[in-house]
C-alpha cells in the first residue's frame, strides 16, 4: 500500500521518531507536520491540545495517510483516545517509557523528564500506576526545554543550566534510569551525556514506536510491499522549515512551509 504514513508533533521533536521509522521502513512514504507555531503544547490546556491534534489529523487525512503516528507525548496522552474513537485509521502514540525503565532499574528509582501536559494526564497517571509499582518515580517538568530546542538552541548554555537544575534533585535521590518523556528530548542526548554520571541509563521510546508502527501496518495489510516505488519524504512546518531540514539532515527530503 503506497499511501503515506502521517506523523505530527508540536514541532521539530517528532523528527526523532521519523528517523526511527525511516530506519526500520525505508520503503514507506511519509508526511511530517511540525506545528511549531503552536509549540509548546505541554503548557496548554487539555482541550486546546485536543483541538490542535484534531487539526493536524485532518490535514494528514486530507493527504490520504493510511496510519498516523502521534509523535508527541503531550498530544498522545491528551488526545489519542479521542482520535482513535473518531477516525477510522490506526493511530500509534508515544508515551514515557515507564515500563522498560521499571524493568531495568536496579536502585528502584527512576526519573521522568516530560512536559506539564504529559505529567498531568490521566494516561501517564494510569501507566505509572500499572507498571511502576514498587518503583519510585521522580517526575520533572522540562519547562522551557521545548522552546529552546525549537529556537535551535539545543547546545546553548541556557539549556545546559536548565537541564542541570532539573536533573540535580533526582540524581541526589539516586535514580539510575532517566526516561525522556518528550520527543524533542532525544536532541538533548549529547548534553545529557555530559551532565549525567556514568551508569545512568537514558531511556526513550522511539525504537519501540517504530516497531509498533511496523507491526500495526503489517497486521492491517498496509505495509508498502512494492520495491519499485520511490518513497516520498515530505515535511511541513508552519514556522521553521529550515530547522526541520537541519535536524533531519538528509538531501532526499522535501521540506516546505505550510500555513496550518
Ligand atoms: N514533542 C512534544 C512531546 O513529546 C513536545 C510537547 C510540547 O510542545 O510541549 O511532548
Amino acid at each position: 500500500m503506497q499511501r503515506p504514513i502521517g506523523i505530527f508533533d508540536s514541532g521539530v521533536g517528532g523528527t526523532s521518531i521519523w528517523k526511527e521509522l525511516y530506519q526500520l521502513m525505508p520503503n514507506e512514504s511519509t508526511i511530517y507536520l511540525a506545528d511549531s507555531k503552536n509549540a509548546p503544547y505541554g503548557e496548554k490546556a487539555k482541550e486546546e491540545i485536543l483541538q490542535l491534534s484534531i487539526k493536524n489529523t485532518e490535514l494528514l487525512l486530507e493527504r490520504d495517510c493510511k496510519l498516523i503516528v502521534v509523535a508527541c507525548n503531550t498530544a498522545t496522552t491528551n488526545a489519542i483516545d479521542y482520535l482513535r474513537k473518531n477516525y477510522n485509521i490506526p493511530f500509534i502514540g508515544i508515551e514515557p517509557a515507564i515500563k522498560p525503565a521499571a524493568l531495568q532499574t536496579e536502585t528502584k528509582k527512576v526519573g521522568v523528564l516530560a512536559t506539564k501536559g504529559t505529567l498531568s494526564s490521566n494516561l501517564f497517571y494510569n501507566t505509572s500506576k500499572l507498571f511502576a509499582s514498587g518503583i519510585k518515580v521522580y517526575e520533572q517538568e522540562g519547562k522551557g526545554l521545548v522552546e529552546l530546542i525549537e529556537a535551535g538552541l539545543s547546545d546553548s548554555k541556557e539549556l545546559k543550566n536548565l537541564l542541570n537544575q532539573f536533573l540535580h534533585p533526582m540524581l541526589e535521590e539516586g535514580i539510575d534510569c532517566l526516561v525522556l518523556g518528550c520527543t524533542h528530548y532525544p536532541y538533548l542526548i549529547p548534553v545529557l551525556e555530559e551532565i549525567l554520571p556514568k551508569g545512568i541509563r537514558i531511556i526513550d521510546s522511539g525504537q519501540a514506536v517504530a516497531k509498533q508502527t511496523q507491526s500495526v501496518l503489517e497486521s492491517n495489510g498496509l505495509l508498502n510491499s512494492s520495491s519499485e516505488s520511490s518513497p516520498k519524504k515530505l515535511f511541513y512546518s508552519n514556522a521553521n522549515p529550515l530547522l526541520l531540514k537541519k535536524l533531519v539532515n538528509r538531501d532526499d527530503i522535501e521540506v516546505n512551509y505550510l500555513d496550518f
Side-chain angles (χ1 to χ4, degrees):
M1 166 101 49
Q2 292 184 31
R3 289 160 62 204
I5 298 174
I7 303 149
F8 76 81
D9 179 39
S10 61
V12 296
T15 54
S16 63
I17 306 297
W18 181 89
K19 288 176 184 173
E20 301 288 353
L21 291 166
Y22 178 69
Q23 193 160 335
L24 197 61
M25 295 173 285
N27 202 27
E28 295 291 336
S29 290
T30 50
I31 302 182
Y32 181 97
L33 293 184
D35 191 12
S36 294
K37 189 173 78 182
N38 292 301
Y41 281 11
E43 297 294 312
K44 299 187 192 305
K46 182 179 170 72
E47 183 53 32
E48 194 177 350
I49 299 169
L50 179 61
Q51 291 311 323
L52 292 167
S53 302
I54 291 172
K55 173 200 67 166
N56 298 332
T57 295
E58 296 202 339
L59 226 121
L60 291 169
L61 290 177
E62 277 165 25
R63 285 163 174 75
D64 201 26
C65 289
K66 60 184 175 184
L67 171 148
I68 291 179
V69 178
V70 182
C72 174
N73 291 256
T74 314
T76 298
T77 51
N78 287 279
I80 202 157
D81 288 347
Y82 177 94
L83 299 176
R84 285 189 173 133
K85 275 188 206 129
N86 287 278
Y87 298 95
N88 198 19
I89 56 157
F91 285 86
I92 307 294
I94 178 162
E95 53 179 312
I98 296 283
K99 188 179 171 188
L103 292 172
Q104 289 178 49
T105 177
E106 283 163 22
T107 61
K108 306 288 174 212
K109 291 174 180 176
V110 164
V112 180
L113 190 60
T115 69
K116 183 170 155 194
T118 294
L119 294 174
S120 63
S121 67
N122 289 336
L123 189 55
F124 179 73
Y125 174 79
N126 291 334
T127 306
S128 306
K129 219 166 96 183
L130 191 63
F131 296 116
S133 69
I135 307 285
K136 183 93 184 102
V137 178
Y138 296 90
E139 299 172 13
Q140 174 64 52
E141 188 188 323
K143 195 172 168 58
L145 297 177
V146 166
E147 289 91 323
L148 287 168
I149 297 165
E150 287 290 323
L153 298 172
S154 304
D155 199 24
S156 62
K157 186 129 191 26
E158 192 181 351
L159 192 139
K160 277 181 202 165
N161 288 342
L162 267 185
L163 270 182
N164 262 313
Q165 183 188 319
F166 292 157
L167 298 176
H168 185 72
M170 58 172 81
L171 290 172
E172 289 277 285
E173 294 288 349
I175 62 154
D176 62 353
C177 291
L178 175 67
V179 175
L180 303 185
C182 170
T183 54
H184 282 69
Y185 299 167
Y187 287 111
L188 303 180
I189 289 177
V191 185
L192 284 168
E193 285 174 344
E194 279 174 31
I195 294 176
L196 293 172
K198 288 231 157 19
I200 310 262
R201 291 180 206 190
I202 299 174
I203 300 181
D204 86 284
S205 329
Q207 270 186 11
V209 168
K211 282 194 191 141
Q212 173 70 359
T213 305
Q214 187 181 43
S215 134
V216 171
L217 285 173
E218 197 164 11
S219 59
N220 285 276
L222 292 172
L223 276 173
N224 181 15
S225 49
S226 154
S227 51
E228 283 162 30
S229 63
S230 50
K232 293 218 168 358
K233 305 174 193 66
L234 290 176
F235 290 75
Y236 294 106
S237 167
N238 54 16
N240 198 347
L242 285 180
L243 182 62
L244 260 185
K245 197 159 175 57
K246 184 174 163 210
L247 289 179
V248 180
N249 193 21
R250 297 182 60 92
D251 291 334
D252 60 348
I253 64 170
E254 189 183 326
V255 185
N256 293 305
Y257 171 81
L258 184 72
D259 188 15
F260 62 96

